[in-house]
Amino acid sequence: MAGPGAYAAVWEPGRQNVTRYRLTPRGWPEGRRLRLAILSDLHVGSLHVPLSRVSELVAATNALAPDLTLLLGDFVASRARIASDPSLADLATELARLQARDGVFAVLGNHDWWHDEPTQQLRQGPTQVGLALERVGIPVLENKAVRLDTAGGPLWLAGLGDQIAFLSRGRRPRGIDDLAGTMAQITDDEAPVIMMAHEPDVFARMPDRVTLTLSGHTHGGQVRFLGWAPIVPSRYGNRYAYGHVREAGRDLVVSGGIGTSQLPIRFGIPPEIVLIELG
């Protein structure tokens, strides 16, 4: 077992793939093309993701020449911060080097909330991660939708608040997500809607008005055998664990992410930057 164990703990978590999807979701305008670069679950400060690796990820993402770069949350390690962790200001400064024709946008993940003690005590934001990103000019879409004029024409980009933001003793974590309130900000029936939601579970109740949902959180289960993961942090198990999912004509892409959570291993699901070519 030493061989597979070493592979899962040392080699695979340090890899860096680009996973590509070419999609034409329902409602996408004919002939319009848009390139989306996705970074999720960096977990900076974890064993395999020092700040220097963020620099490498930024360079690799920029080399894809995306129209939009979307950051899907869990920027920090899945534990309480320690003195050796990179500062949030330094992390945000590195991410500010991301370049995309139509902008760089973010949502927050559960660990950005769970390991922010003031937000857990007050049961409200803003989070330290969110403030750091906003200070360097990266908008954080928290239950917010914005209309953009992009290379692929006008579209709505929406970001859902985290669905398990607040820890609760003996009960399921409580979220700050407001799907109805976010959708109410969309004021036309024509421009396609892309929804950023850290956890994919919301896809089960996503309105048909949403053209494409983008999520992370699961790490693809972090250990996968022939496309199946024994443990997935989702009430739906493997249904939304990883990759492109199409249900009832609606599309979801779940990134396997970059870092690790809980156990510092990956097996069968290497870290990835996702590139989605729409149209």
Side-chain angles (χ1 to χ4, degrees), residues 220-236:
Q222 211 161 282
V223 173
R224 290 178 73 80
F225 304 96
L226 301 176
W228 177 84
I231 300 174
V232 180
S234 164
R235 73 183 68 179
Y236 297 103

Side-chain angles (χ1 to χ4, degrees), residues 44-92:
V44 177
S46 57
L47 178 62
H48 302 285
V49 193
L51 192 61
S52 59
R53 187 166 181 200
V54 178
S55 301
E56 296 169 359
L57 289 163
V58 167
T61 302
N62 288 343
L64 298 173
D67 298 308
L68 281 169
T69 294
L70 306 178
L71 310 177
L72 299 185
D74 273 5
F75 296 91
V76 299
S78 60
R79 52 159 171 72
R81 289 183 58 79
I82 58 178
S84 61
D85 284 342
S87 73
L88 295 179
D90 288 345
L91 169 58

Side-chain angles (χ1 to χ4, degrees), residues 2 19 25 28 39 54 57 59 67 81 106 111 114 125 135 145 153 173 179 196 198 224 243 256 271 274:
T19 302
W28 187 258
L39 282 172
V54 178
L57 289 163
D67 298 308
R81 289 183 58 79
H111 289 292
W114 290 1
R135 287 189 190 110
L179 181 58
M196 305 162 64
H198 178 69
R224 290 178 73 80
V274 172

Side-chain angles (χ1 to χ4, degrees), residues 2 17 19 23-24 32 44 71 73-74 87 115 122 131 142 148 163 171 186 192 198 209 219 222 224 255-257 276:
N17 288 350
T19 302
L23 305 178
T24 304
R32 294 185 181 177
V44 177
L71 310 177
D74 273 5
S87 73
H115 303 296
L122 296 172
L131 290 172
E142 192 163 279
L148 303 175
Q163 298 159 62
R171 294 179 294 174
I186 297 168
H198 178 69
R209 178 70 179 86
H219 303 191
Q222 211 161 282
R224 290 178 73 80
S255 168
I276 302 175

Side-chain angles (χ1 to χ4, degrees), residues 124-137:
Q124 65 181 21
T127 65
Q128 298 173 63
V129 173
L131 290 172
L133 293 172
E134 293 274 6
R135 287 189 190 110
V136 299

Side-chain angles (χ1 to χ4, degrees), residues 1-17 19 38-44 46-49 53 57 73-74 78 198 215-225 228-231 233 241-243 254-274:
M1 293 298 291
Y7 173 91
V10 178
W11 194 78
E12 186 166 304
R15 292 177 60 192
Q16 188 168 296
N17 288 350
T19 302
I38 314 296
L39 282 172
S40 188
D41 299 274
L42 294 173
H43 291 291
V44 177
S46 57
L47 178 62
H48 302 285
V49 193
R53 187 166 181 200
L57 289 163
D74 273 5
S78 60
H198 178 69
S215 296
H217 180 63
T218 63
H219 303 191
Q222 211 161 282
V223 173
R224 290 178 73 80
F225 304 96
W228 177 84
I231 300 174
Y242 176 68
V254 182
S255 168
I258 297 295
T260 57
S261 181
Q262 307 306 321
L263 294 176
I265 61 171
R266 278 182 178 263
F267 188 90
I269 181 74
E272 64 180 10
I273 302 167
V274 172

